[in-house]
Amino acid sequence: MGLRDLNAKKWEKSLIARTQSNSSIVDTLVHMKCTKQAIAAFNFSLLTVIVTFLILSLGLDYWVYTIEPRTVNITDDFGDYMEFLQIYHLGYWRICRESFMDADENMTKVQLEYLSHDTSSKYSCLFVMGVANADVLISFGVTSGAIANRMLLMLALHFIALLLTFVGFGFTINGYLKSNKQSIFAAVIHIAAGICISVCIMQFVCVVEDEMSARVKPTAEGEPSKYKSYYGISFFLIATCFVLLQISTLAELKIFLLPYSSTNDTLVIVPGLKRRLMTSIRQPAPLFYIPQDVDSTGAI
């Protein structure tokens, strides 16, 4: 037997072993049942991700990016004041900005020197909570400052949603361990948290559209607007939380209903269902009496 035959046999054995291993994993996934333990583990992991995303979106200042022009004390070849573009990103706590140049824009030596010494063109941030006047925010960034000034309601809804998610998480754990009705309470609480998140998302979208809709239109000369905006990672994190909360609610309902698989158990846990079922299957009484025909002898 040559070396080539030995290598071929080793390769064949390893291929058979890998095939058996892969088939066992596939069989496990195919035949895996949705037991109470599996659903609970999935739900706990899901809620952990939701809480993490809510905290990240609360702390990060990447809800939306805006691009705004800023007029500087430099004239171009035609004697008009130039505009530098600044990109902003903002959140609940602060607004940050930094100047950037278009790739097609050619700067003179004087303009580049001015840009290098201009402090407002460098990366800087302004803390929203430390500003008492909204005019300071707007002077820092016209559009981004106006958006940040209108995010206070969103912040309150975000905190409420995070608190409800935490409380529902506790009810979920207790309901799973004690097999009681707290799982259904957790589902109701998480539905309320989802409502808060949905209102928060709609509020933010309306604020951004309200502030940007008039500015993104072309100018009177027909030139395209220099204002732009696009949503950041914080927005997509909280939007993902809304979807995951709905899945978590379904998992909690499933955990609650698993012990009540039979019809009799369902009649016990749903208040008034047994009475309604008995009423529906009961034969209704006739609306009026119809006498039978009687002949002359009195027989029917």
Side-chain angles (χ1 to χ4, degrees), residues 132-165:
N133 193 355
D135 295 335
V136 179
L137 292 175
I138 297 176
S139 63
F140 187 81
V142 178
T143 306
S144 56
I147 294 173
N149 189 43
R150 299 171 61 181
M151 292 179 66
L152 186 60
L153 176 61
M154 290 176 48
L155 180 60
L157 291 172
H158 200 136
F159 269 119
I160 294 173
L162 182 59
L163 178 62
L164 290 175
T165 305

Side-chain angles (χ1 to χ4, degrees), residues 12-32:
E12 184 179 357
K13 289 181 179 179
S14 62
L15 180 62
I16 293 173
R18 287 198 301 268
T19 304
Q20 291 177 350
S21 176
N22 293 333
S23 62
S24 62
I25 295 174
V26 172
D27 291 339
T28 303
L29 293 175
V30 169
H31 298 290
M32 183 176 63

Side-chain angles (χ1 to χ4, degrees), residues 190-209:
H190 284 154
I191 289 174
I195 293 174
C196 291
I197 292 176
S198 63
V199 175
C200 179
I201 293 173
M202 290 187 291
Q203 172 75 12
F204 183 70
V205 171
C206 291
V207 168
V208 173
E209 292 298 322

Side-chain angles (χ1 to χ4, degrees), residues 52-74:
T52 304
F53 282 5
L54 283 175
I55 294 175
L56 287 176
S57 59
L58 181 66
L60 296 177
D61 47 10
Y62 298 100
W63 276 80
V64 67
Y65 291 87
T66 61
I67 297 176
E68 306 175 19
R70 182 177 65 89
T71 304
V72 295
N73 193 20
I74 300 179

Side-chain angles (χ1 to χ4, degrees), residues 70-73 84 86 97 99 112-123:
R70 182 177 65 89
T71 304
V72 295
N73 193 20
F84 287 165
Q86 288 188 320
R97 70 181 181 188
S99 295
L112 290 173
E113 185 177 358
Y114 177 86
L115 186 62
S116 62
H117 290 85
D118 186 17
T119 56
S120 62
S121 63
K122 296 179 174 58
Y123 186 81

